Amino acid sequence: MSIPDLPITNPHYGTGVYRRRIRLMPGEGHVFAELEDNNHGFRLGIEHDDLFITGITGDALRTPLSTCPGALVRLQRLVGADVHSDAKELSRRADPASNCTHWLDLCILAINHIPRGAVDRQYDVAVTDEHYGVSELSVHCNDKAVHRWYASGLALTGPEPLAGRTLFRGFSSWARDCFSGDALEAALVLQRGNFVAQARRFADALGEANEPVRKHQNGNVCYSYSAEIVEQALHRPHSVRDFTETPELLLKFV
């Protein structure tokens, strides 16, 4: 079933904006990274010796499930990785299905930022609720617009060269054919944000506070839904924020 076919239970859907902000801040021998959106808040510290990753620390500040913070142990698979590894290499090494998707994405972005040197980078993603069947997706890097797309559910409707392209499985393949370098990274950031943005359709996207988590219909899709962890997981209360009118609060973690 495609997302547009699912019932919309959020009475405010159609009037809001999903927002995600990512900040990468390099220093001598380390990168500090933060991510916050409507559903998540994470921090990471990546240590390196200019050749290899030597340490990874992190804080799960706001998560939908009680077990999500435990995913930090899975990120340790990236200790020892070459700082010049590309995103695909790092993803294979980490095994995405056994990691927290969002924490792993942030970790890979931080590692890929190391070779750029001592320059901060901030991504701002905005995805409007669908209006007359279409939503607007945009990503800015350091306040400069990189991509502006239009979509219906998980398929692009514009701009014209991209119309009909998927925003779900298969996205990475076609994106790598169309973009490279910073434009490719920004496209991947935007696609990830759009996927999470679909949770705005539902009044209660996951479950009631402190309710045990049901197994995901597609099996092991991330750390908290893995077979050995999901039985311990509870839905966290008050984990969702709405930044429609308050983008300035992103990365304040309030």
Side-chain angles (χ1 to χ4, degrees):
M1 183 181 290
S2 65
I3 281 180
D5 295 330
L6 293 174
I8 294 172
T9 59
N10 177 4
H12 304 294
Y13 186 79
T15 64
V17 182
Y18 163 87
R19 298 187 186 278
R20 169 175 281 192
R21 177 167 290 170
I22 296 169
R23 188 175 293 149
L24 309 172
M25 295 168 284
E28 188 65 35
H30 72 273
V31 179
F32 183 65
E34 301 176 305
L35 176 153
E36 186 170 28
D37 64 10
N38 294 39
N39 303 79
H40 312 91
F42 292 107
R43 282 179 174 149
L44 271 175
I46 309 292
E47 298 176 3
H48 63 89
D49 60 5
D50 294 326
L51 296 174
F52 300 101
I53 305 305
T54 58
I56 298 174
T57 58
D59 292 303
L61 300 170
R62 181 165 52 86
T63 62
L65 305 180
S66 62
T67 47
C68 297
L72 182 63
V73 70
R74 302 291 174 85
L75 290 177
Q76 304 308 312
R77 295 170 181 166
L78 293 175
V79 173
D82 190 312
V83 300
H84 294 94
S85 301
D86 65 21
K88 289 180 69 174
E89 291 173 309
L90 294 170
S91 183
R92 283 195 296 267
R93 181 180 180 122
D95 181 19
S98 65
N99 268 273
C100 166
T101 301
H102 315 289
W103 225 349
L104 176 59
D105 285 347
L106 182 63
C107 193
I108 290 173
L109 284 171
I111 292 172
N112 286 164
H113 194 61
I114 293 169
R116 297 186 184 119
V119 133
D120 289 357
R121 174 166 291 196
Q122 179 172 300
Y123 283 113
D124 285 289
V125 170
V127 179
T128 67
D129 294 346
E130 283 193 5
H131 189 60
Y132 294 108
V134 177
S135 61
E136 180 181 292
L137 294 61
S138 65
V139 58
H140 288 67
C141 181
N142 290 350
D143 296 322
K144 181 179 179 180
V146 183
H147 299 294
R148 188 175 302 276
W149 300 337
Y150 298 89
S152 178
L154 293 175
L156 287 170
T157 60
E160 185 57 37
L162 302 180
R165 301 278 194 173
T166 181
L167 284 165
F168 195 42
R169 292 189 180 94
F171 174 86
S172 296
S173 294
W174 74 255
R176 287 188 171 91
D177 290 337
C178 294
F179 308 112
S180 62
D182 289 351
L184 174 59
E185 182 173 278
L188 294 168
V189 166
L190 181 53
Q191 185 262 349
R192 290 295 202 190
N194 181 68
F195 188 75
V196 180
Q198 305 311 313
R200 280 192 47 82
R201 295 171 180 269
F202 313 113
D204 188 356
L206 291 172
E208 297 293 334
N210 299 315
E211 178 185 30
V213 174
R214 295 183 295 274
K215 292 182 180 180
H216 196 281
Q217 61 181 354
N218 293 324
N220 292 0
V221 295
C222 69
Y223 173 81
S224 283
Y225 282 102
S226 60
E228 68 272 27
I229 301 298
V230 69
E231 301 294 342
Q232 310 163 36
L234 301 175
H235 293 286
R236 279 233 167 121
H238 314 300
S239 64
V240 177
R241 304 285 185 273
D242 186 346
F243 295 103
T244 296
E245 304 294 340
T246 56
E248 71 278 3
L249 293 183
L250 286 161
L251 300 185
K252 302 293 185 184
F253 302 107
V254 296

